[in-house]
Amino acid sequence: MTQWLGDMMRLLEAHQGSLAGVTVASLACFVGSLLALPWLVARAPVDYFMREHASDDPWFGRVVRNGAGVVLLIVGVAMLVLPGQGLLTILLALSLLDFPGKHALLRRMVGRKSVAKALQWLRAKAHRPPFELPSPREL
């Protein structure tokens, strides 16, 4: 056991720069999610999770939106183990991405009590009406 701890300490000492970079990135993601997610959730339409969304954006807009979605998805997955709002960031990323079955997946995610409660809490804090969410039968 002490051999393993010694090896781990040497590894951490050898990669102090990388460790500092990961720490700064984690902190930036945490603060960024605390600022951006409430703002975005407050501005979404009340019926966002109830309607099908047809993308009529020009190709450049779709590329930018999907690129932002990929970045947010990676950050959200990282926040599942690092500080931050991982599930809400993943939900936001999925809402930006274009892929088959997107709406069914979003409805299943917001059908989780913890996610729905967090979304509705953010809406209430912003003095916005609550989201219309699918009933359990619609999932």
Side-chain angles (χ1 to χ4, degrees), residues 2-58:
T2 54
Q3 175 66 28
W4 181 82
L5 285 175
D7 291 343
M8 183 61 81
M9 291 305 293
R10 281 189 290 284
L11 180 67
L12 290 174
E13 288 171 3
H15 297 289
Q16 280 182 334
S18 298
L19 187 59
V22 168
T23 301
V24 169
S26 174
L27 185 61
C29 289
F30 177 68
V31 172
S33 71
L34 289 177
L35 297 174
L37 284 174
W39 182 81
L40 292 168
V41 168
R43 276 141 189 84
V46 172
D47 64 343
Y48 183 82
F49 297 106
M50 296 301 293
R51 60 184 168 143
E52 294 291 324
H53 302 275
S55 179
D56 55 352
D57 293 341

Side-chain angles (χ1 to χ4, degrees), residues 122-138:
L122 287 170
R123 294 284 289 192
K125 293 294 272 185
H127 306 291
R128 304 281 294 171
F131 280 117
E132 296 172 7
L133 298 177
S135 68
R137 286 178 273 125
E138 296 176 60

Side-chain angles (χ1 to χ4, degrees), residues 57-139:
D57 293 341
W59 70 269
F60 183 74
R62 285 194 308 268
V63 168
V64 169
R65 189 169 32 85
N66 280 289
V70 168
V71 169
L72 284 173
L73 184 61
I74 292 167
V75 168
V77 169
M79 280 192 271
L80 291 175
V81 295
L82 300 171
Q85 302 170 355
L87 285 178
L88 289 178
T89 304
I90 291 171
L91 182 66
L92 177 64
L94 292 177
S95 68
L96 291 174
L97 292 169
D98 290 325
F99 60 92
K102 166 185 169 176
H103 303 293
L105 179 60
L106 285 175
R107 286 185 181 126
R108 285 183 54 207
M109 285 187 74
V110 299
R112 297 178 59 103
K113 284 185 181 182
S114 60
V115 174
K117 185 177 175 182
L119 285 171
Q120 301 297 29
W121 181 81
L122 287 170
R123 294 284 289 192
K125 293 294 272 185
H127 306 291
R128 304 281 294 171
F131 280 117
E132 296 172 7
L133 298 177
S135 68
R137 286 178 273 125
E138 296 176 60
L139 302 174

